[in-house]
Amino acid sequence: MSESKTTTNHDEIRQWAQDRGGRPAVVRTRGEGGILRIDFGEPEEEFEAIEWDEFFRIFDQNDLAFLYQDETGGGKTSRFNKFIERNQSG
């Protein structure tokens, strides 16, 4: 069984994403900021690539936490991730 972890540590999030070939991205909405995503592989058309500084500004401004898995249930590297409210447990 795979285990989920939650963090707000910027360095930990950046390292996890980079280890999997992920890049910071956002889906722009009408409001300020947007919906954060980690983009893997070929860039998704609806995702706008952003710098890590902007990514973490939006992350902190929206009081988010990063829910993620290091490995799948089968022991392979997992890319599962989700952004949740900081006061929500994973």
Side-chain angles (χ1 to χ4, degrees):
M1 180 158 171
S2 57
E3 179 182 320
S4 294
K5 301 176 183 178
T6 304
T7 187
T8 58
N9 182 289
H10 294 187
D11 292 332
E12 190 175 338
I13 295 165
R14 181 183 297 123
Q15 188 64 53
W16 181 92
Q18 290 175 340
D19 286 349
R20 290 156 176 78
R23 299 169 307 280
V26 66
V27 177
R28 295 293 181 188
T29 59
R30 291 181 186 209
E32 187 176 328
I35 301 168
L36 292 179
R37 295 287 186 255
I38 303 290
D39 199 8
F40 299 98
E42 287 295 316
E44 295 280 339
E45 189 173 311
E46 66 271 13
F47 293 177
E48 177 184 329
I50 58 175
E51 296 295 322
W52 283 111
D53 287 345
E54 182 178 0
F55 180 91
F56 288 120
R57 181 187 58 77
I58 296 168
F59 181 81
D60 290 335
Q61 190 173 52
N62 288 286
D63 206 27
L64 297 174
F66 186 67
L67 176 71
Y68 67 101
Q69 289 178 335
D70 283 325
E71 295 182 344
T72 65
K76 297 187 182 209
T77 300
S78 176
R79 295 192 322 191
F80 171 79
N81 69 90
K82 183 177 179 180
F83 296 95
I84 62 172
E85 294 178 13
R86 287 190 185 176
N87 60 4
Q88 180 181 338
S89 59

